[in-house]
């Protein structure tokens, strides 16, 4: 070959390498990544070099080799690499700046080096490499883009929780769940093994936990409702459930460890324990409705709590935990501690005696006593207790870590007390909530935690100073499974929200970019499709954001779809590609119905258009004052929500002011006397979300704002047991009257009704528009 031919061949090869090199689509985004052009070809001419005398590192190299074999048939030997001209070297060596979990990656056309301080760093480096390769075997040449990467996580705790009590899932699904976590560098699997609906872990000292408490009457095909959960000692009747043997648990824990994931078990106490109390009622306050009786009995009628005054209950729990500790090497043991209904303790002579002996002033301090006592046991065994944020009630145990789920307040408070915290607020970390339009999504618990909300979550609250912020270990998402009965639904609810959270917890905050994440995610969605994983293709619903300013209503439309174009109508018709194309906010100045939808690639998405009704009337834009403030969790459009012309929909997160246990008493100042003959108040009922229509709505008028006259009281006619999400206008028609002030009172139901999962706890009242015409 002459010099010219050689030069031309070299140029051709270089061009081919440049052409086939694909953009690097790694999730989570590495701290530093510098593509350098060209590719490293993985074929039979490549040798592997692994660190000597390190089993954990050798396991990582074998894991990489097995994946290469799976997607290409190319077998890379774990030894003999030195004889190969092109090598992939895995190196354990002091590596500055990357910590225990970080890694450095260098890929050139002639070789590749993965270096870390520990084997888990090598594992995370491998995960980045695997994301540059095909998801399935296609027999294409395997090529890894040339690049230089330095990478390490932002947070120590990067977790996901799976609830296997409400619905049981096989060991195979649990391992698949772990695989998905590992692929995105998550490192904690929180396993919710115990709850009122079923006990899922074999405890050899207490066999009834698995022969009885692990099973319930099959409720398949029915919409989940805690009030309908039935137990029965007759296993021919109680056919739904399951549990994990101790051998299965050992295998799963070892499997997770091989993926550098810690399994944190949760054993609920002192509440959420109906299944256990039905099997071992002697450890509750007042045994009732147990497996000793014949026939079906409701789980909600079983004692929910362990008796805090019964020393035998603590012995029982310590014996249970002894077997748990033998199975789980995790530093952390989760004890639940949430949603404890303390009414049984108030009526229990043993619990009241315990309060007196210990000098406890109330049941909150009794709960704190319970938690502290269990923490003392765990500490004696060299473990660390973690619990939901209710463990703050009555005083926090000395060494406890708090998992904050009721917003971030509990986590903030604990961190300011110098306790470690894991952030897991319902918004946006509850993955059992809807991620797209509820009208078209599978049935979910409620809420609205979209991919974008998850991606924009910041685990360190602004309220924390730098010293307190150090106590934020990280965050996790929770998958409660009331409405998730199948493996496919588990996949659907975590994909792709889990990769989004993974990037929040791994990547530098300043480097996160929503558009860039979407571009990288596209390749991962192709992989989900190829591997047969069920996943959400995104939130196609248009976000309608009206704003009221000086009586004018401006509407902004938005979408999470970077590839979407918004079309809208203002006459109530269905939008299409021939309708108004959204480019900028616009004004609505009359009563109408706005509908908006997304087109992708010039084709309208198949979901139902977003819709917002506007009702302009004599009260629109006027002044309104509340006798009792609405909940800070439901602010909607702020103080003007009741008179902003925007009608609430079935979505609880928009346009509604919520009142927890309180009545709505709102007074509208119309600015000047008006003559009207109708008045109405819009309300929402959503049984599953503890939201109920008011018992009645009363309308009163006044000319001076001092003396009021009742003009109408409208009673509710919808049963509280109606579980369908629905809105209702409480409307009154009266003889024409002239007035300046209108006072509207909506009577809260007070507490959730008997048979409801929240029976006797505060009911929510949701109100929206006041209309005067």
């Amino acid at each position: 070959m002459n010099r010219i031919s050689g030069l031309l061949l070299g140029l051709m090869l270089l061009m081919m390498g440049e052409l086939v090199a694909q953009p690097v689509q790694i999730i989570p985004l590495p701290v530093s990544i510098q593509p350098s052009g060209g590719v490293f070809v993985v074929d039979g001419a490549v040798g592997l070099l692994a660190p000597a005398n390190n089993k954990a590192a050798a396991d990582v190299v074998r894991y990489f080799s097995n994946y290469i074999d799976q997607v290409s048939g190319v077998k890379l030997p774990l030894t003999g690499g030195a004889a190969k001209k092109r090598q992939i070297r895995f190196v354990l060596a002091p590596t500055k700046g990357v910590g225990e979990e970080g890694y450095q990656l260098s890929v050139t056309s002639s070789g590749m080096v993965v270096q870390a301080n520990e084997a888990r760093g090598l594992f995370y480096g491998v995960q980045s490499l695997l994301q540059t390769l095909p998801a399935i075997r296609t027999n294409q040449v395997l090529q890894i883009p040339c690049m230089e990467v330095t990478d390490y996580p932002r947070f120590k705790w990067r977790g996901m929780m799976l609830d296997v009590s409400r619905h049981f899932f096989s060991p195979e699904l649990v391992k698949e769940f772990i695989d998905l976590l590992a692929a995105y560098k998550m490192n904690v699997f929180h396993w919710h093994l115990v709850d009122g609906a079923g006990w899922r872990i074999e405890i050899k000292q207490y066999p009834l936990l698995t022969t009885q408490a692990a099973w319930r009457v099959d409720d398949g095909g029915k919409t989940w409702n805690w009030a309908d959960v039935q137990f029965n000692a007759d296993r021919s009747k109680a056919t739904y459930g399951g549990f994990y043997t101790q051998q299965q648990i050992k295998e799963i824990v070892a499997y997770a460890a091989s993926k550098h994931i810690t399994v944190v078990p949760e054993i609920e106490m002192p509440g959420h324990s109906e299944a256990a109390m039905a099997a071992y009622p002697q450890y509750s306050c007042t045994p009732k409705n147990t497996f000793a009786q014949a026939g079906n009995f409701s789980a909600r009628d079983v004692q929910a709590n362990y008796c805090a005054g019964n020393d035998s209950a603590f012995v029982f729990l310590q014996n249970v935990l002894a077997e748990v500790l033998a199975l789980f090497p995790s530093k952390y043991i989760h004890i639940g501690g949430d949603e404890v209904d303390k009414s049984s303790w108030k009526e229990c002579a043993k619990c009241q005696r315990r309060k007196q002996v210990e000098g406890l002033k109330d049941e909150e301090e009794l709960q704190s006593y319970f938690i502290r006592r269990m923490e003392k046991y765990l500490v004696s065994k060299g473990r660390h207790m973690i619990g939901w944020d209710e463990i703050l009630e009555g005083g926090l145990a000395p060494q406890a870590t708090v998992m904050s789920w009721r917003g971030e307040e509990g986590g903030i408070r604990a961190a300011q007390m110098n306790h470690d915290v894991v952030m897991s607020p319902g918004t946006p970390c509850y993955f059992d909530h809807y991620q797209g339009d509820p009208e078209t999504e599978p049935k979910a618990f409620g809420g609205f935690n979209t991919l974008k909300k998850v991606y924009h979550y910041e685990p360190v609250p602004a309220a924390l100073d730098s010293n307190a912020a150090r106590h934020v270990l990280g965050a996790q998402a929770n998958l409660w499974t009331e409405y998730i009965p199948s493996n496919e639904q588990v996949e659907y609810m975590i994909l792709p929200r889990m990769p989004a959270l993974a990037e929040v917890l791994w990547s530098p905050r300043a480097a996160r970019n929503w558009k860039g994440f979407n571009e990288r995610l596209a390749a991962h969605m192709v992989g989900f499709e190829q591997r047969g994983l069920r996943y959400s293709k995104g939130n196609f619903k248009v976000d309608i954001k009206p704003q009221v300013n000086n009586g004018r209503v401006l509407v902004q439309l938005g979408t999470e779809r970077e590839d979407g174009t918004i079309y809208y109508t203002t006459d109530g018709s269905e939008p299409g590609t021939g309708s108004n194309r959204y480019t900028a906010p616009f004004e609505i100045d009359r009563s109408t119905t706005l509908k908006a939808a997304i087109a992708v690639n010039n084709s309208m998405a198949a979901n139902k258009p977003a819709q917002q009704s506007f009702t302009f009337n004599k009260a629109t834009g006027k002044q309104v004052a509340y006798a009792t403030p609405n909940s800070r969790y439901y602010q909607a459009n702020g103080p003007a929500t009741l008179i902003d012309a925007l009608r609430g929909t079935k979505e609880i997160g928009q346009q509604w002011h919520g009142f927890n246990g309180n009545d709505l008493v709102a007074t509208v100042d119309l600015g000047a006397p008006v003559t009207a003959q109708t008045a109405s108040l819009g309300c929402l009922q959503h049984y599953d979300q503890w939201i109920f229509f008011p018992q009645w709505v009363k309308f009163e008028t006044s000319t001076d704002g001092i003396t009021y006259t009742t003009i109408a009281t409208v009673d509710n006619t919808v049963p509280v047991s109606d579980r369908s999400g629905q809105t209702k206008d409480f409307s009154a028609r009266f003889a024409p009257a002239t007035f300046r002030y209108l006072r509207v009172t909506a009577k809260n139901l007070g507490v959730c009704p008997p048979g409801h999962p929240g029976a006797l706890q505060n009911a929510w009242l949701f109100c929206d528009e006041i209309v005067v015409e």
Side-chain angles (χ1 to χ4, degrees):
M1 180 183 295
N2 61 37
R3 184 169 178 269
I4 298 298
S5 298
L7 179 60
L8 289 173
L9 178 59
L11 288 172
M12 289 174 62
L13 290 173
L14 179 61
M15 291 172 64
M16 288 175 62
E18 292 290 348
L19 287 172
V20 296
Q22 298 296 317
V24 181
Q25 313 286 19
I26 297 174
I27 297 175
L29 182 69
V31 172
S32 173
I33 180 169
Q34 298 295 329
S36 54
V39 297
F40 176 82
V41 177
V42 182
D43 56 22
V46 172
L48 291 177
L49 286 178
N53 303 318
N54 190 302
K55 181 182 182 302
D59 288 343
V60 173
V61 178
R62 187 176 298 107
Y63 172 81
F64 175 76
S65 178
N66 289 342
Y67 187 87
I68 296 298
D69 186 12
Q70 176 185 331
V71 298
S72 70
V74 174
K75 300 184 183 302
L76 301 178
L78 298 180
T79 58
K84 304 288 187 178
K85 290 184 177 180
R86 293 187 299 117
Q87 298 176 357
I88 301 176
R89 295 194 297 128
F90 292 84
V91 179
L92 285 180
T95 309
K96 292 183 179 180
V98 301
E100 298 174 345
E101 295 183 287
Y103 64 93
Q104 289 181 343
L105 179 61
S106 177
V107 182
T108 68
S109 60
S110 59
M112 192 163 68
V113 178
V114 186
Q115 180 172 316
N117 291 307
E118 296 188 11
R120 49 183 161 165
L122 295 180
F123 182 80
Y124 295 135
V126 164
Q127 295 305 322
S128 292
L129 290 174
L130 298 188
Q131 290 186 16
T132 70
L133 296 172
I136 60 172
R137 183 168 179 172
T138 62
N139 294 317
Q140 62 179 302
V141 176
L142 297 188
Q143 301 175 107
I144 297 175
C146 294
M147 55 186 166
E148 300 292 325
V149 176
T150 298
D151 201 13
Y152 49 87
R154 182 184 174 200
F155 291 102
K156 296 178 181 179
W157 188 296
R158 308 180 301 279
M160 276 288 303
M161 184 277 286
L162 177 64
D163 164 25
V164 296
S165 177
R166 273 77 172 193
H167 283 101
F168 179 75
F169 298 96
S170 69
E172 290 73 24
L173 183 278
V174 174
K175 289 180 179 179
E176 179 192 320
F177 195 87
I178 290 168
D179 286 339
L180 290 170
L181 298 187
Y184 293 96
K185 304 183 178 75
M186 303 288 265
N187 67 347
V188 177
F189 169 43
H190 173 181
W191 202 358
H192 188 81
L193 288 160
V194 172
D195 213 298
W199 186 281
R200 305 299 181 207
I201 175 174
E202 178 188 22
I203 302 297
K204 293 183 178 180
Q205 188 169 347
Y206 301 106
L208 296 183
L209 292 173
T210 46
T211 60
Q212 293 182 342
W215 306 92
R216 65 177 186 253
V217 177
D218 192 351
D219 52 5
K222 297 180 181 178
T223 300
W224 170 270
N225 180 30
W226 171 240
D228 292 337
V229 174
Q230 300 280 312
F231 292 136
N232 194 314
D234 183 348
R235 281 295 316 284
S236 69
K237 302 292 194 303
T239 57
Y240 181 84
F243 64 93
Y244 306 97
T245 67
Q246 293 196 1
Q247 182 58 38
Q248 287 175 319
I249 288 174
K250 289 177 183 178
E251 292 173 359
I252 289 171
V253 170
Y255 186 81
S258 73
K259 306 297 175 70
H260 297 274
I261 289 176
T262 299
V263 182
V264 176
E266 181 179 355
I267 307 298
E268 276 275 16
M269 62 183 81
H272 279 283
S273 300
E274 288 87 348
M277 294 300 90
Y280 290 95
Q282 62 268 38
Y283 303 124
S284 64
C285 291
T286 308
K288 64 175 184 176
N289 293 299
T290 74
F291 285 110
Q293 70 190 63
N296 290 359
F297 59 98
S298 295
R300 63 179 171 83
D301 292 331
V302 179
Q303 286 278 310
N305 301 342
Y306 292 95
C307 179
N310 185 350
D311 286 331
S312 296
F314 289 97
V315 172
F316 172 84
L317 285 168
Q318 289 173 6
N319 290 338
V320 167
L321 287 177
E323 294 192 37
V324 170
L325 298 182
L327 296 171
F328 296 91
S330 166
K331 170 185 175 182
Y332 293 94
I333 303 296
H334 204 300
I335 54 80
D338 60 311
E339 297 181 325
V340 180
D341 179 0
K342 304 176 183 67
S343 58
S344 63
W345 289 354
K346 293 178 181 179
E347 300 170 358
C348 173
K350 290 181 179 179
C351 289
Q352 295 306 307
R353 190 177 309 117
R354 176 81 71 192
K355 283 172 56 181
Q356 293 176 355
V357 171
E358 299 294 335
L360 308 174
K361 67 179 182 181
D362 54 28
E363 278 64 38
E364 281 68 33
E365 289 194 0
L366 182 59
Q367 176 170 335
S368 177
Y369 165 84
F370 191 109
I371 299 300
R372 288 169 185 263
R373 184 164 172 173
M374 295 312 303
E375 185 199 44
K376 185 177 180 180
Y377 172 79
L378 288 173
V379 170
S380 75
K381 302 301 180 182
R383 303 301 181 93
H384 198 93
M385 187 188 78
I386 186 170
W388 302 108
D389 56 57
E390 286 93 333
I391 66 173
L392 284 158
E393 296 172 2
L396 187 57
Q399 300 180 44
T401 295
V402 171
M403 185 168 282
S404 188
W405 73 277
R406 296 179 299 177
E408 295 181 329
E409 289 80 3
I412 291 170
R413 181 179 165 197
Q416 290 172 338
M417 296 165 62
N418 295 318
H419 283 257
D420 288 343
V421 302
V422 176
M423 290 299 187
S424 192
T427 302
C429 292
Y430 270 35
F431 284 7
D432 54 323
H433 290 188
Y434 287 105
Q435 58 191 315
D437 185 359
E439 296 284 344
T440 57
E441 286 284 295
K443 178 70 174 176
F445 189 83
F448 197 54
N449 288 335
T450 66
L451 181 67
K452 190 172 186 178
K453 282 185 179 179
V454 173
Y455 189 77
H456 284 293
Y457 177 57
E458 171 48 45
V460 179
L464 296 181
D465 61 26
S466 58
N467 289 327
R470 290 202 299 267
H471 288 288
V472 179
L473 301 179
Q476 75 173 37
N478 301 319
L479 191 66
W480 303 103
T481 58
E482 286 93 337
Y483 297 99
I484 304 176
S486 67
N487 295 4
E488 293 78 14
Q489 191 71 354
V490 168
E491 295 169 354
Y492 185 84
M493 298 304 279
I494 69 171
L495 297 176
R497 288 186 288 189
M498 184 269 290
L501 182 63
E503 184 148 309
V504 168
L505 298 176
W506 180 282
S507 305
R509 181 180 183 182
R512 298 208 315 258
N513 179 278
W514 170 244
K515 184 176 181 180
F517 172 75
N518 272 271
E519 292 171 351
R520 286 177 284 119
L521 182 62
H524 292 252
M525 287 185 163
V526 172
F528 299 156
E529 194 83 38
Q530 291 174 329
R531 293 200 298 269
L533 295 170
R534 191 171 180 223
Y535 66 98
S536 171
K537 295 183 180 180
N539 174 29
F540 286 85
K541 186 164 187 175
V542 174
D543 189 10
I544 301 176
K545 299 178 180 179
Q547 294 181 341
V548 179
N549 188 12
N550 295 325
R552 296 179 64 208
V553 177
L554 294 176
V555 178
Q556 179 180 351
L557 304 180
T559 174
E560 294 189 5
R561 300 288 305 189
E562 292 293 326
D563 57 352
T565 301
I566 301 174
Y567 294 92
Y568 70 93
T569 63
T570 55
D571 59 2
S573 63
E574 298 298 295
T577 53
S579 303
N580 300 312
R581 179 174 178 173
Y582 177 74
T583 57
F586 54 93
E587 183 176 1
I588 297 288
D589 58 6
R590 57 187 173 82
S591 296
T592 190
T593 297
L594 167 67
K595 292 186 177 182
I598 295 173
V600 177
N601 296 326
N602 295 317
S603 295
M604 298 302 295
N607 64 306
K608 185 177 179 180
Q611 180 174 314
Q612 176 66 60
S613 294
F614 298 83
T615 304
F616 285 80
N617 62 92
K618 297 180 185 297
T620 301
K622 305 304 182 183
Q623 296 296 315
V624 61
Y626 285 160
T628 303
N630 60 295
S631 168
R632 59 194 176 93
Y633 297 112
Y634 297 100
Q635 294 292 338
N637 283 330
T641 295
L642 288 183
I643 41 80
D644 61 5
L646 313 178
R647 301 309 308 269
T649 67
K650 294 178 184 178
E651 294 182 29
I652 67 173
Q654 295 184 350
Q655 311 306 340
W656 296 103
H657 272 180
F659 299 83
N660 188 221
N662 298 320
D663 300 337
L664 160 77
V665 182
T667 301
V668 181
D669 181 355
L670 299 171
V674 300
T675 300
Q677 57 185 2
T678 64
S680 67
L681 173 71
C683 297
L684 173 71
Q685 179 154 304
H686 202 306
Y687 184 94
D688 291 342
Q689 299 297 315
W690 301 22
I691 303 168
F692 297 93
F693 285 141
Q695 299 179 52
W696 46 259
V697 175
K698 180 169 64 175
F699 299 94
E700 301 170 277
T701 61
S702 172
T703 58
D704 57 8
I706 300 173
T707 303
Y708 283 85
T709 301
T710 300
I711 55 172
T713 298
V714 182
D715 292 327
N716 177 39
T717 58
V718 177
V720 295
S721 58
D722 190 331
R723 297 181 186 174
S724 59
Q726 56 189 301
T727 61
K728 174 181 173 65
D729 285 341
F730 285 76
S731 300
R733 179 172 291 275
F734 44 87
T738 300
F739 52 90
R740 174 174 172 174
Y741 300 92
L742 176 70
R743 186 163 66 195
V744 181
T745 302
K747 184 64 177 178
N748 194 305
L749 185 63
V751 296
C752 297
H756 187 274
L760 303 182
Q761 298 188 51
N762 283 346
W764 281 94
L765 169 67
F766 271 43
C767 301
D768 178 34
E769 201 69 6
I770 293 176
V771 177
V772 178
E773 291 179 315

